[in-house]
Amino acid sequence: MKMTFRWYGSKHDKVTLKQIRQIPGLIGVISTLYDIPAGEVWPVERIRALKDEIESAGLTLEGIESVNVHEDIKLGTPEAEKYIENYKQTLRNLAECGVKLVCYNFMPVFDWTRTDLAKILEDGSNTLSYDEDVIRKIDPAKMFEEVNNNSNGYVLPGWEPERLGEIKRLLELYSDMTEEKLWKNLENFLKEVIPVAEECDIKMAIHPDDPPWSVFGLPRLITSKENLERFINLVDSPYNGLTICTGSLGVDPNNNIPEIIRYFGSKGRIHFAHVRNVKIHEPRKFDEVAHKSEYGSLDMFEIMKAFYDVKFEGPIRPDHGRMIWDEEGRPGYGLYDRALGAVYLNGLWEAISKMDKLNNKN
Ligand code: CS2
Ligand code: MN
């Protein structure tokens, strides 16, 4: 495995490449062209400039997260075809610059959803948190206003102020969307895009839905082992793969994460991993916590051991972190706690691999 870090680019991220370079054991970043709206073709020059910037800081560009999928593709409108063509061209342009991995998601309207962006934990740090009771009480139309006013200048992914009007419109468009229709639209997308990914030698890695259940009545697909299995069989190609996000799948206690890693890893279908811990307080009520196993509901040793046992060679990143040491910035994406996470996960990996070698000698 290769330990990496997400970086939003010099214009959009307070964390610098220089800082990232100084995290021990980290070799590269996962980045994106944050300002290009979903559906547009990414220009080769922009991709090349991003890559050059990262390489001149002594790091490598290990993959793109995300090339977002336009809502028309998820909705299956007549416009979808045009946006799918653009997506394919973006893949070709990425391949021209040597990119080998693309992460994306297929969640309608919203990316990850939380009810609190800065919940204070016992140790005084703050974190992203989710409580289904809060969601249930929300009239989505009002929530847009609240999020806009109370988030201290930050918005959730999918809640960008310029999208608030559009969100209302989108929710209406999705009003008759069912899981089966969404599966069909996903299949259409994959049947077009995966052959191009094959030609380009780009591994596609879908991110699980976060949380892995329906929110605001919108269907969600990438939620469980069974659905991951259905997904990889839609197009049976090694290029049609997964991002295993332990914190997304892991908030449903029915998802046995080490088992999921072993199962799909041994099929060669895991191309990317987000490894973080979550504490489930009650069903559908959780906090994101420090990476170390004892703080959460996930056993990080078992998770890293599963990646080791399936000989996972792709990039791993710590995903989100808490805000600690008075750091301020993009919720979930500060420097300090994610850096601690990367170092802890590297420590587990070193211990697991050395124990394995020791055991093989005896
Ligand atoms: C990420 C997702 O911050 C996160 O939780 O894991 O936003 C992820 O980048 C997208 O869902 C992938 O398209
Ligand atoms: Mn994730």
Side-chain angles (χ1 to χ4, degrees):
M1 74 80 189
K2 298 183 261 188
M3 189 53 69
T4 63
F5 214 67
R6 188 181 199 176
W7 183 63
Y8 283 90
S10 40
K11 273 204 203 113
H12 304 278
D13 207 327
K14 276 172 82 174
V15 180
T16 64
L17 288 173
K18 187 176 169 206
Q19 290 169 324
I20 296 174
R21 174 76 179 83
Q22 293 170 358
I23 303 169
L26 227 139
I27 59 118
V29 297
I30 301 291
S31 193
T32 188
L33 294 177
Y34 195 60
D35 57 308
I36 300 190
E40 284 186 20
V41 177
W42 291 24
V44 175
E45 322 74 73
R46 291 285 316 274
I47 304 166
R48 198 158 281 141
L50 176 73
K51 198 175 175 223
D52 288 349
E53 189 183 3
I54 291 167
E55 287 175 358
S56 27
L59 294 157
T60 51
L61 174 60
E62 288 297 326
I64 298 294
E65 176 177 350
S66 313
V67 179
N68 283 320
V69 177
H70 195 277
E71 295 297 335
D72 281 55
I73 298 177
K74 298 177 223 167
L75 282 161
T77 70
E79 299 287 288
E81 205 180 312
K82 171 178 100 196
Y83 291 120
I84 291 178
E85 286 311 313
N86 287 355
Y87 204 99
K88 292 187 204 167
Q89 190 54 44
T90 294
L91 291 185
R92 294 190 191 101
N93 293 355
L94 287 167
E96 206 177 311
C97 302
V99 171
K100 299 273 177 232
L101 169 76
V102 166
C103 170
Y104 67 103
N105 70 74
F106 214 78
M107 290 177 250
V109 193
F110 308 109
D111 198 322
W112 47 271
T113 307
R114 298 287 181 275
T115 52
D116 194 340
L117 297 181
K119 179 172 168 187
I120 311 285
L121 295 174
E122 244 178 29
D123 63 4
S125 62
N126 69 72
T127 197
L128 300 169
S129 161
Y130 181 92
D131 183 345
E132 187 90 345
D133 288 344
V134 176
I135 296 274
R136 275 195 209 103
K137 283 182 213 136
I138 287 170
D139 167 359
K142 281 215 183 106
M143 172 109 176
F144 306 145
E145 289 157 28
E146 276 165 30
V147 169
N148 205 12
N149 296 334
N150 297 338
S151 58
N152 301 323
Y154 292 105
V155 283
L156 289 173
W159 298 85
E160 291 80 4
E162 61 280 10
R163 284 197 68 208
L164 292 179
E166 198 208 0
I167 285 170
K168 257 189 151 165
R169 184 184 68 88
L170 280 172
L171 285 177
E172 278 157 26
L173 289 174
Y174 275 104
S175 60
D176 64 348
M177 181 58 72
T178 61
E179 272 188 26
E180 285 311 311
K181 279 192 206 165
L182 194 60
W183 275 114
K184 194 71 215 151
N185 296 341
L186 176 55
E187 184 175 354
N188 290 343
F189 171 72
L190 294 174
K191 288 206 158 131
E192 290 288 326
V193 161
I194 296 299
V196 176
E198 280 173 359
E199 279 163 33
C200 293
D201 191 24
I202 291 182
K203 300 244 166 69
M204 297 295 293
I206 198 167
H207 188 280
D209 298 351
D210 184 0
W213 51 74
S214 165
V215 178
F216 299 130
L218 293 162
R220 295 221 148 169
L221 308 180
I222 312 300
T223 54
S224 62
K225 184 178 176 195
E226 196 189 346
N227 284 13
L228 291 173
E229 175 79 1
R230 178 168 175 185
F231 170 81
I232 62 164
N233 290 326
L234 289 176
V235 173
D236 192 11
S237 156
Y239 288 85
N240 182 30
L242 309 170
T243 298
I244 292 294
C245 178
T246 63
S248 300
L249 291 167
V251 294
D252 181 346
N254 296 317
N255 289 333
N256 178 333
I257 306 296
E259 190 209 316
I260 287 177
I261 294 167
R262 286 173 196 283
Y263 183 77
F264 294 101
S266 59
K267 287 178 184 274
R269 297 298 272 273
I270 303 178
H271 301 322
F272 183 29
H274 293 173
V275 184
R276 62 179 161 89
N277 206 350
V278 283
K279 175 80 185 168
I280 307 170
H281 298 292
E282 287 168 30
R284 302 197 171 190
K285 193 170 182 173
F286 63 85
D287 294 334
E288 299 192 4
V289 291
H291 283 73
K292 203 162 181 284
S293 305
E294 70 198 70
Y295 293 100
S297 306
L298 303 180
D299 186 325
M300 305 312 265
F301 169 79
E302 291 297 341
I303 285 172
M304 294 306 277
K305 176 100 174 35
F307 279 118
Y308 180 86
D309 289 343
V310 298
K311 302 189 170 45
F312 180 68
E313 285 179 351
I316 286 188
R317 67 172 188 83
D319 213 3
H320 307 161
R322 301 161 302 146
M323 283 299 173
I324 62 171
W325 304 337
D326 299 325
E327 188 179 20
E328 285 176 2
R330 184 190 293 276
Y333 283 97
L335 169 65
Y336 304 139
D337 200 38
R338 285 191 301 149
L340 293 178
V343 172
Y344 166 66
L345 297 173
N346 268 337
L348 284 176
W349 190 269
E350 180 177 343
I352 292 164
S353 55
K354 287 194 173 159
M355 281 303 284
D356 184 41
K357 282 180 196 121
L358 212 63
N359 289 339
N360 283 340
K361 254 193 227 153
N362 299 333

